[in-house]
Amino acid sequence: MQKIATNTTPIFTLLGLVAPWKEWMSLGLEGLLVAFLILLLHRIPILYLINPIIPNIRSNLDVLFAGWFGPVGIAAFYYSQFSMIQTGKEELWPIVSLVICVSIILHGITATYFTKLYERYLRKSGNE
């Protein structure tokens, strides 16, 4: 098994330390729904639109796979912190941090299943 070195672990540890649990609870199910919809709609529709100019994305399943597995993480964390420093406004932090955490959980849960499903598709279509 290949070992992948990562330097993002300290960032996600920091995220866990500063997670706004009370604010997440106040967002309720609506907050989770917004986070899920952001993950679902922030990349997939764009990939469908630009699909004709991307030669490596040949099928709708390619679009779905590439669109789903672009987790939200370090950049969202950085930009939210940067904007809070620049503007002094902290209102977006609860939803940004919730989207990051939902992304980590959903992409972690779906990674193995979707990767195996995609591999099966590639083998059947002969595009391996």
Side-chain angles (χ1 to χ4, degrees):
M1 177 178 257
Q2 182 181 3
K3 185 176 180 180
I4 299 174
T6 179
N7 59 0
T8 59
T9 303
I11 298 295
F12 290 120
T13 302
L14 179 62
L15 176 63
L17 291 172
V18 297
W21 296 99
K22 288 180 189 176
E23 289 87 348
W24 288 353
M25 293 300 190
S26 69
L27 291 171
L29 291 177
E30 292 86 3
L32 286 175
L33 179 62
V34 167
F36 178 74
L37 289 174
I38 287 171
L39 292 174
L40 192 62
L41 300 174
H42 84 285
R43 193 173 289 115
I44 294 172
I46 300 299
L47 281 176
Y48 271 114
L49 289 173
I50 65 172
N51 184 20
I53 62 172
I54 303 175
N56 291 338
I57 298 181
R58 295 179 215 108
S59 71
N60 286 336
L61 190 59
D62 290 342
V63 170
L64 289 171
F65 191 82
W68 178 248
F69 287 110
V72 176
I74 300 301
F77 180 80
Y78 171 77
Y79 286 122
S80 68
Q81 297 303 306
F82 180 78
S83 66
M84 286 182 353
I85 291 168
Q86 295 297 313
T87 65
K89 296 184 180 183
E90 299 182 13
E91 291 84 9
L92 284 179
W93 174 239
I95 193 66
V96 171
S97 61
L98 182 61
V99 171
I100 293 169
C101 288
V102 169
S103 172
I104 292 167
I105 292 166
L106 284 179
H107 291 107
I109 290 170
T110 60
T112 300
Y113 177 74
F114 285 175
T115 302
K116 288 181 179 184
L117 185 70
Y118 187 66
E119 180 185 22
R120 234 180 287 140
Y121 162 77
L122 288 177
R123 288 184 183 191
K124 284 182 182 178
S125 65
N127 292 331
E128 204 169 7

